[in-house]
Amino acid sequence: MAIPAAEEDPMARYRSPLVSRYASPEMGFNFSERKKFGTWRRLWLYLAQAEKSLGLPITDEQIQEMEANLDNIDFAMAAEEEKKLRHDVMAHVHTFAHCCPKAAAIIHLGATSCYVGDNTDLIVLRDGFNLLLPKLARVISRLADFAEKYADMPTLGFTHYQPAQLTTVGKRCCLWIQDLCMDLQNLERARDDLRFRGVKGTTGTQASFLQLFEGDHSKVEELDRLVTAKAGFKRSYMVTGQTYSRKVDIEVLSVLASLGASIHKICTDIRLLANLKEIEEPFEKEQIGSSAMPYKRNPMRSERCCSLARHLMTLVLDPLQTASVQWFERTLDDSANRRVCLAEAFLTADIILSTLQNISEGLVVYPKVIERRIQQELPFMATENIIMAMVKAGGNRQDCHEKIRVLSQKAAAVVKQEGGDNDFIDRVRADSYFAPIHKQLESLLDPSSFTGRAPQQVAKFLKQEVRPALDPYQNKMGGKIELAL
């Protein structure tokens, strides 16, 4: 097959599905070339403004010229310059200088490439967190509404994916919410812990700036503080090499990987519940579950979340390895790797949060299926209650235990060997030995009496922990989200 020219056929070039298929426009822009190089120009402006305010010979006219051209980026010229210079920062210095001839002499004054490179990365990481946090809060809010609605609905619990004591649909959902609340806290912490690299020079010593200010240490410190504030950070790292410590990237991707683990667990639970036909994710009217089996309703949204969450969880390995091999003040083998892993981590987290929001806004519960499954298992769970009731009615505990053992094994044989329904209670009703409690059997088998404090736990958890954590995001909750491709 002939390869068409990419400029003639956009579909002839690989495009990351993270951007072309899934991610939100906002997160796509956050990691775009326009955001990156526009931020570089703003950082050069901040530096010039701060240097001017501290006495360097920079004019108002030069500052105004830079301000007027922040977004006037000739990307074709920059690409040509980079092809010639083999240096992306200098290519953009020349491109900026071309449209700012009066300011050309003071652009990037005293700075190293990492002044724009690393500081832009930190701005993008911070802005990425600011995009993710409201999305995560929305997911938690939707699931909290679901948990509240189904706080009292009994459902069969599972341990080892084997039938266990009853819980409630809402209580199980709270297990998901609790993990996501931990992620919300971790993402907030990681964002708030980010500092600016600031104005540190080629190896982090600020030597070039000390020379510019003729040995005045206080002005160099003030320059760092001014630029940090202009970029919207409260603090800068006090010591850096040429770069900020790459352990920062580990912290950032660790919390995103942890979020991926939470969502993978939640969506795996939903997939299992879909198989049990107890709960299903939304399914559009014309959606096709299988090309071969028309009846299928595959949980494709949850499957997508699991698929992408696995990718997100693996990305933390990149900064771990990068940080471990940064020689002395820095090596450049971090650059290409970071271009990929940082962007992909935020884009992937953005996608799975949007998808999980869509899932949580349309979860469908099937009470009759849930009730039927309870009835299949509850008779065996009720044996202890039956023994206690018989003892209260004057029976002997050991005799009762033996009677129940025999009847329950016969009922189990019907279920396992004959494929029939659990008829244990029918056997109890038919046995005259249990006549003293026959009228109590219905109350002894009430599912709500087997769920313990699950409803109360849901109410207390949502009121005391979940709703307060969501308060800062109340004006960002938005409406329902439509699913991407």
Side-chain angles (χ1 to χ4, degrees), residues 164-226:
Q165 285 190 346
L166 300 190
T167 182
T168 69
V169 172
K171 170 63 190 297
R172 176 178 284 149
C173 183
C174 284
L175 299 179
W176 305 339
I177 295 170
Q178 181 167 249
D179 287 352
L180 293 176
C181 283
M182 293 171 65
D183 293 315
L184 186 74
Q185 186 178 39
N186 288 337
L187 263 65
E188 289 173 339
R189 174 188 54 76
R191 178 199 60 188
D192 296 342
D193 282 350
L194 285 175
R195 301 190 195 185
F196 203 51
R197 177 189 177 273
V199 182
K200 298 297 195 300
T202 55
T203 57
T205 65
Q206 299 178 302
S208 57
F209 297 103
L210 191 63
Q211 185 175 2
L212 278 175
F213 290 104
E214 299 178 345
D216 191 329
H217 290 268
S218 63
K219 285 190 174 181
V220 176
E221 289 188 0
E222 181 64 6
L223 178 70
D224 201 355
R225 189 195 68 77
L226 286 172

Side-chain angles (χ1 to χ4, degrees), residues 453-474:
R453 298 191 64 254
Q456 290 74 24
Q457 288 179 351
V458 171
K460 187 174 183 180
F461 174 62
L462 296 180
K463 180 180 180 180
Q464 295 189 9
E465 294 195 23
V466 179
R467 302 298 185 190
L470 298 178
D471 281 346
Y473 304 96
Q474 287 305 321

Side-chain angles (χ1 to χ4, degrees), residues 293-432:
M293 295 167 280
Y295 61 87
K296 292 194 74 178
R297 291 169 63 99
N298 297 333
M300 69 91 168
R301 293 166 171 81
S302 298
E303 290 174 316
R304 177 187 297 174
C305 284
C306 289
S307 181
L308 291 171
R310 286 201 298 273
H311 178 59
L312 179 55
M313 288 186 281
T314 66
L315 288 173
V316 71
L317 295 175
D318 277 339
L320 281 167
Q321 295 181 72
T322 295
S324 71
V325 296
Q326 284 298 286
W327 303 345
F328 303 114
E329 279 64 50
R330 78 91 49 101
T331 61
L332 197 58
D333 62 345
D334 64 336
S335 179
N337 185 286
R338 295 176 69 253
R339 288 175 194 263
V340 175
C341 70
L342 295 180
E344 287 200 355
F346 278 86
L347 289 165
T348 306
D350 178 70
I351 295 160
I352 59 178
L353 281 173
S354 294
T355 308
L356 184 55
Q357 180 185 337
N358 177 266
I359 293 170
S360 62
E361 289 172 346
L363 285 173
V364 181
V365 178
Y366 296 104
K368 294 298 183 182
V369 178
I370 293 173
E371 183 180 349
R372 183 173 185 275
R373 182 157 285 108
I374 289 174
Q375 295 308 319
Q376 289 173 342
E377 302 293 340
L378 190 61
F380 292 149
M381 296 179 190
T383 54
E384 185 67 21
N385 289 4
I386 292 173
I387 291 174
M388 293 299 101
M390 280 295 295
V391 170
K392 288 180 180 179
N396 180 282
R397 195 259 177 204
Q398 276 58 249
D399 292 342
C400 185
H401 184 279
E402 178 59 20
K403 283 276 189 180
I404 287 178
R405 185 188 69 81
V406 173
L407 295 181
S408 63
Q409 288 188 2
K410 290 179 180 179
V414 170
V415 173
K416 295 179 180 179
Q417 297 173 21
E418 301 175 19
D421 291 332
N422 189 332
D423 63 358
F424 172 72
I425 296 301
D426 292 336
R427 293 176 184 273
V428 171
R429 285 197 175 100
D431 193 321
S432 60

